[in-house]
Amino acid sequence: MNKHIFLDNLTARVGALAAGKKKFFSTSIKSEPFEKLVDSIEVKVPAIRGEETFELEAVTAGGPIGIAFRVEKWMGTDYPTLIYHHGNNERPFDYGKYAKNTFMQIFVKEKEAFDLNLVVVRAPFHDISLKEYQEKITDLENFMTMIAASVRLNEELIRTLPSNQKVYTCGISLGGWVTNLHRSIYNSSFAYIPMLAGSYLGELFLQSAYRRLAGSLALENEERIRELLNFDAAFSAVETKNVYPLLARYDRFIEYHVQ
């Protein structure tokens, strides 16, 4: 067996054991569609004048939730801006030696090599403990609201910048879904760079090795999960040739032939 397939399968088994009863969507599969959630969320973004971390509040139908962004490098509005969205259960503001932080690994360590502004978004529920996070994602609407809030923050960030400034929306895994969903709804970035993500989000939980981490309630209602999480129709309806994706041939979660 290919080592990458073996490691993904092992990760899924270990993750399922660690999650126990707190698997994805194990307590509720009720939610509004992504489009309605994104439209209903309000986020006020202050003007960017330099390198700073901004702790914000996203107003949602279920109440306010914390969300944030960090300007890691600011060269000014004469330069392009890259907005990065982190992966599941990452801590994008933690630059410690053992931190789970792809933004740090990809961009922060080499930031002098990039002639652009670097901004990272911290999704809701990523400033709490893993135990608290696991509790949140047993409810499908919490999971979808988390993604929707990051999409809305991305859009509000773009709106604060000059209209002629090139903006690149980029993300990995969870952040890749945010990237693709933003294009599906707004398509206001100059280009999109989704890594290890597609537009069939429902299939991640229904047919990939990640299925082990989905609750029985979700697995018993596959069509409902597909209806709410897959956004392939909206993504395909956007005809702009502005997507530069990265998928992995042996990925057992974001399966190449599906996504």
Side-chain angles (χ1 to χ4, degrees):
M1 179 185 293
N2 178 280
K3 65 178 181 180
H4 303 290
I5 294 175
F6 171 79
L7 288 173
D8 279 355
N9 287 338
L10 178 62
T11 298
R13 292 191 183 97
V14 172
L17 287 172
K21 294 182 179 180
K22 294 181 179 179
K23 293 184 178 180
F24 282 89
F25 329 137
S26 57
T27 62
S28 174
I29 56 171
K30 295 180 181 178
S31 180
E32 293 288 347
F34 274 128
E35 292 81 356
K36 286 188 176 181
L37 288 174
V38 172
D39 188 58
S40 67
I41 292 172
E42 295 182 10
V43 184
K44 293 183 179 179
V45 175
I48 298 174
R49 296 187 175 87
E51 295 162 5
E52 188 176 352
T53 299
F54 296 87
E55 296 283 347
L56 308 174
E57 188 175 82
V59 179
T60 76
I65 55 176
I67 195 167
F69 72 94
R70 174 182 176 83
V71 182
E72 174 62 30
K73 182 176 182 179
W74 186 251
M75 300 181 69
T77 55
D78 292 333
Y79 290 84
T81 294
L82 182 137
I83 303 173
Y84 183 81
H85 298 263
H86 60 81
N88 183 56
N89 195 36
E90 288 191 29
R91 297 295 182 265
F93 301 164
D94 183 353
Y95 294 170
K97 183 177 180 180
Y98 301 107
K100 185 180 180 183
N101 187 347
T102 52
F103 179 66
M104 176 181 69
Q105 296 296 331
I106 299 171
F107 292 105
V108 176
K109 289 184 175 181
E110 303 290 339
K111 67 179 181 180
E112 297 308 317
F114 300 100
D115 288 331
L116 44 69
N117 304 310
L118 291 173
V119 178
V120 61
V121 168
R122 189 190 70 208
F125 314 141
H126 282 74
D127 59 340
I128 58 179
S129 70
L130 176 59
K131 183 178 180 180
E132 291 173 309
Y133 176 66
Q134 288 177 320
E135 188 68 45
K136 291 288 186 183
I137 53 85
T138 62
D139 186 319
L140 176 60
E141 188 161 69
N142 281 342
F143 177 77
M144 292 181 65
T145 297
M146 173 180 69
I147 293 175
S150 291
V151 168
R152 189 56 184 258
L153 177 53
N154 190 101
E155 180 61 17
E156 294 305 319
L157 282 167
I158 292 172
R159 292 178 182 180
T160 65
L161 300 171
S163 59
N164 63 342
Q165 187 175 5
K166 289 183 179 179
V167 177
Y168 299 86
T169 293
C170 175
I172 190 168
S173 187
L174 172 65
W177 301 108
V178 171
T179 298
N180 287 334
L181 185 59
H182 183 274
R183 178 180 179 273
S184 302
I185 295 175
Y186 292 111
N187 193 34
S188 54
S189 279
F190 176 76
Y192 291 85
I193 311 167
M195 297 182 284
L196 308 182
S199 58
Y200 291 89
L201 178 53
E203 305 311 314
L204 169 66
F205 298 100
L206 297 177
Q207 71 174 58
S208 80
Y210 212 74
R211 175 185 172 93
R212 291 178 179 271
L213 280 79
S216 57
L217 181 62
L219 298 179
E220 291 164 3
N221 292 274
E222 291 189 356
E223 289 312 306
R224 181 60 175 162
I225 297 301
R226 287 191 169 99
E227 178 186 356
L228 287 171
L229 291 184
N230 288 350
F231 55 92
D232 51 295
F235 185 83
S236 297
V238 180
E239 297 181 352
T240 315
K241 305 298 183 183
N242 58 354
V243 185
Y244 302 87
L246 173 67
L247 293 172
R249 187 178 301 279
Y250 300 110
D251 195 330
R252 295 287 288 131
F253 302 150
I254 314 304
E255 295 177 296
Y256 185 88
H257 71 280
V258 174
Q259 304 298 339

